[in-house]
Amino acid sequence: MGIVVAVILQMIFANSPFINRIFETAPMNLDQWLICFGVALPAIGVALSVNRFDPPN
């Protein structure tokens, strides 16, 4: 649940006109978002498997 909330907040933050003006950036297009998700998904899978087999105390 926390990951979903973080992704939603990141999307709002990255596409905010106010933030884009401050950092002189542009919102990402769909292709760029898909690349980010493609890179992040394996890391999420590794983190979930580590927590399953070696849960934090």
Side-chain angles (χ1 to χ4, degrees), residues 21-56:
R21 276 194 307 273
I22 290 173
F23 294 106
E24 298 179 4
T25 59
M28 295 192 313
N29 61 31
L30 180 61
D31 292 339
Q32 293 167 328
W33 278 109
L34 292 174
I35 290 169
C36 290
F37 285 128
V39 171
L41 284 177
I44 293 170
V46 169
L48 290 173
S49 65
V50 166
N51 282 338
R52 180 181 175 130
F53 297 112
D54 187 21

